[in-house]
Amino acid sequence: MYRYIHCVVYLEVKMRFEGHKLIHLIGIGGCSMNGLAQILCAKGYAVQGSDRAESPFTQRLNELNIPVVIGHDPKNLGDADLVIYSAAIKPDNCERQEAEKRGIPQIERSVALGMLSEGYSQVVGIAGCHGKTTITSMVALICEHCDSGDGGAHRMDATVHVGGNVDFLNGGVRIGAHDVFITEACEYVESFLTLRPTIALINNIDDDHLDYYRDIDHIVDAFRKYVNLLPENGLFIGCSDDERVKKLMAEASVKTMSYGISDADYTPGNVTRDEFGNPSFDVMHEGKSLGRIELSVIGDYNMLNALAATVVALSLNAPFEAIKRALGEYKLTQRRFEFMGERNDIRVYHDYAHHPGEIKAALDAAKNMPHNRLICVFQCNSYSRAKTLFCGDRHYMNSADLVLVPDIYPGREVDTGEVHARDMVDALERTGVNAMYIPTFEEIRAFLDSYTQPGDVVITLGSGDVYFQTKKLL
């Protein structure tokens, strides 16, 4: 019944999607929306859009001669006869209201992405609460190597849609042919349910986006629906280290393939780490080594991400030599353990981590780097996230010698006074973490100037404007 209803919705939307002369994207500078604009443009559609602020994504669109207006105004629609909007754009947005007034059809971003995915013979959806951007960009680089004939590979010519800024893609999208489409499959507001995957990967399932989901059972049920979108000959790839993913694999009616540290179809063997904490490992399958991968990125979680990308690539018939070379030269996308600079012999990094599990993984990785003391600056993005995830007694920052917490970044929310950054500091202190509340990044810089010593490492974490604020520390 579920699949039937979804198909009816899709067919209704598809009829509205085709034949339009000008498509207007509201929030076109978003990490997914800009890629969607580029794919639509490559398919021959006339595309334009608007966003509230400039960004590297809007700059890239300008380079591609896709018109972008900064700021929202009803006049921005011009002659558009179809509107696509991101989940962040609410019905009271002036451009959406203008579209409603003029009777212009409106499609939410994930629905439009699902419609595009229908045109490919193979659709790979990379899902999970953490790691999907890294895995998808790793697969994208493997595709690049395959297309160059590396290791005797056949041309894959895949279209890849990444929810991040990837240097080798000069953005977040790779335009290919119509056979293979590889995309992040985002669980927020169940948007991944608009996709039509033939291969579905789930890296993990965690208690995220509790502003939408009731609880962890609701989240697991959304991932279950995602797996159920697979056709009878589809493939479900999952990380067996995650008990919730493992349970879904046991329930699945399609072929499954697992990866993980142990007790999986694909595992890492003979793991070593260089002086910077970058892991190398043998890819083990059924007790045999397929070959060795030497990563240039830090952290055991990135070793698992690389293993996930390997399994996806192998399922697409990529030769191991191409996989090995691609992952060996892979550099993390922007905002993923990104080196920001050095000041007074103090190295500063930033990571997008904004969930306790991601934060713990990033700090554990940083702990393996050569350093004197590890200082973390964590900016929480949204009051609801602070309340639901960061005011309880959770152990996720114990690898840091000191944690500095500035004011909460509001995101799309309004401060009701119900929660404060001081509440987060109190929760950290209850778990034995040395933590301080310092309201602004200007004050944090002044504190670090007096506190830090040569050899210290500072890592800023969060998904708000902390990436730009970090530059104030240099």
Side-chain angles (χ1 to χ4, degrees):
M1 182 66 175
Y2 170 79
R3 292 190 187 187
Y4 171 75
I5 292 172
H6 225 70
C7 285
V8 170
V9 171
Y10 169 76
L11 289 171
E12 179 182 335
V13 174
K14 184 175 181 182
M15 287 187 291
R16 291 187 294 156
F17 188 70
E18 295 180 345
H20 289 279
K21 296 179 180 179
L22 179 60
I23 303 174
H24 180 78
L25 285 79
I26 311 175
I28 196 170
C31 58
S32 176
M33 286 282 280
N34 85 93
L36 180 60
Q38 292 181 54
I39 296 172
L40 286 168
C41 187
K43 287 182 172 291
Y45 294 100
V47 176
Q48 65 175 32
S50 63
D51 212 306
R52 59 178 181 147
E54 291 186 358
S55 69
F57 290 129
T58 60
Q59 293 169 10
R60 176 59 178 160
L61 292 172
N62 285 327
E63 291 171 2
L64 296 171
N65 295 317
I66 296 176
V68 177
V69 177
I70 301 304
H72 294 299
D73 190 297
K75 296 178 182 178
N76 291 343
L77 269 66
D79 295 327
D81 55 1
L82 179 64
V83 165
I84 299 174
Y85 61 92
S86 72
I89 305 298
K90 304 306 179 185
D92 61 358
N93 174 272
C94 63
E95 294 180 17
R96 285 196 63 188
Q97 290 182 332
E98 178 68 11
E100 183 73 22
K101 178 181 175 182
R102 289 164 53 180
I104 300 173
Q106 301 181 53
I107 301 173
E108 195 271 328
R109 175 207 62 84
S110 65
V111 176
L113 187 65
M115 289 162 54
L116 283 176
S117 75
E118 192 76 10
Y120 294 84
S121 57
Q122 289 197 83
V123 178
V124 182
I126 309 295
C129 293
H130 323 298
K132 51 185 174 285
T133 296
T134 298
I135 296 170
T136 309
S137 58
M138 283 178 166
V139 175
L141 188 56
I142 294 170
C143 291
E144 297 272 301
H145 276 253
C146 286
D147 288 352
S148 68
D150 200 351
H154 66 284
R155 279 184 60 80
M156 198 174 294
D157 204 15
T159 294
V160 185
H161 182 254
V162 184
N165 199 345
V166 184
D167 286 342
F168 70 85
L169 294 177
N170 197 12
V173 66
R174 180 188 191 277
I175 304 297
H178 303 287
D179 293 332
V180 182
F181 182 50
I182 302 165
T183 181
E184 284 191 39
C186 182
E187 75 281 1
Y188 182 57
V189 299
E190 299 179 275
S191 62
F192 55 5
L193 299 185
T194 64
L195 294 172
R196 295 294 172 271
T198 56
I199 299 174
L201 181 143
I202 301 179
N203 197 37
N204 43 56
I205 302 175
D206 217 333
D207 56 348
D208 205 355
H209 304 304
L210 294 174
D211 56 332
Y212 172 79
Y213 291 106
R214 292 187 307 274
D215 50 31
I216 189 63
D217 291 336
H218 189 190
I219 298 170
V220 171
D221 189 54
F223 278 94
R224 181 178 291 109
K225 291 177 181 176
Y226 172 64
V227 173
N228 287 339
L229 294 173
L230 287 165
E232 291 183 1
N233 62 345
L235 173 63
F236 175 17
I237 301 172
C239 181
S240 61
D241 295 343
D242 187 295
E243 289 300 322
R244 298 182 182 104
V245 176
K246 194 173 182 178
K247 182 179 178 182
L248 289 185
M249 295 184 78
E251 297 174 1
S253 59
V254 297
K255 180 182 178 181
T256 63
M257 198 171 291
S258 63
Y259 63 94
I261 295 298
S262 60
D263 191 26
D265 296 318
Y266 292 86
T267 59
N270 302 315
V271 179
T272 59
R273 296 170 186 82
D274 66 17
E275 58 181 316
F276 302 106
N278 301 326
S280 297
F281 62 97
D282 294 338
V283 176
M284 305 298 296
H285 178 56
E286 297 180 348
K288 297 179 181 179
S289 173
L290 302 183
R292 190 162 184 81
I293 291 175
E294 298 178 354
L295 296 177
S296 300
V297 295
I298 195 171
D300 287 355
Y301 64 101
N302 278 320
M303 178 173 66
L304 273 179
N305 290 338
L307 191 59
T310 298
V311 178
V312 170
L314 289 172
S315 71
L316 295 173
N317 298 316
F320 187 82
E321 191 63 26
I323 297 170
K324 170 185 175 179
R325 292 180 185 175
L327 293 178
E329 71 177 47
Y330 177 81
K331 304 295 182 185
L332 290 168
T333 60
Q334 289 183 14
R335 301 198 69 176
R336 270 67 176 182
F337 221 100
E338 182 177 352
F339 177 63
M340 302 296 288
E342 187 170 336
R343 183 167 175 267
N344 300 329
D345 199 25
I346 298 158
R347 287 169 291 145
V348 179
Y349 294 83
H350 169 73
D351 194 275
Y352 190 71
H354 55 284
H355 181 279
E358 296 170 342
I359 292 169
K360 185 178 187 304
L363 291 178
D364 287 350
K367 195 73 173 178
N368 286 325
M369 298 172 62
H371 69 282
N372 178 23
R373 295 175 300 179
L374 177 59
I375 302 157
C376 172
V377 180
F378 173 53
Q379 179 202 60
C380 181
N381 179 23
S382 86
Y383 301 103
S384 59
R385 185 174 289 272
K387 181 181 177 181
T388 56
L389 294 178
F390 296 111
C391 288
D393 296 342
R394 302 175 72 154
H395 294 263
Y396 59 95
M397 286 198 177
N398 299 77
S399 290
D401 295 296
L402 174 65
V403 177
L404 306 179
V405 182
D407 285 327
I408 296 168
Y409 183 76
R412 299 187 290 266
E413 299 178 351
V414 176
D415 185 5
T416 63
E418 190 176 0
V419 67
H420 192 274
R422 292 189 188 91
D423 300 318
M424 297 168 56
V425 169
D426 291 343
L428 287 169
E429 289 178 337
R430 289 196 302 271
T431 61
V433 175
N434 182 19
M436 294 175 58
Y437 164 63
I438 302 180
T440 70
F441 278 82
E442 289 80 6
E443 292 170 286
I444 289 174
R445 170 170 174 147
F447 172 81
L448 291 174
D449 283 346
S450 63
Y451 176 80
T452 51
Q453 303 169 358
D456 286 348
V457 167
V458 174
I459 181 167
T460 66
L461 303 175
S463 59
D465 71 347
V466 57
Y467 182 69
F468 303 102
Q469 297 287 354
T470 300
K471 298 171 184 178
K472 295 179 180 179
L473 307 183
L474 296 170

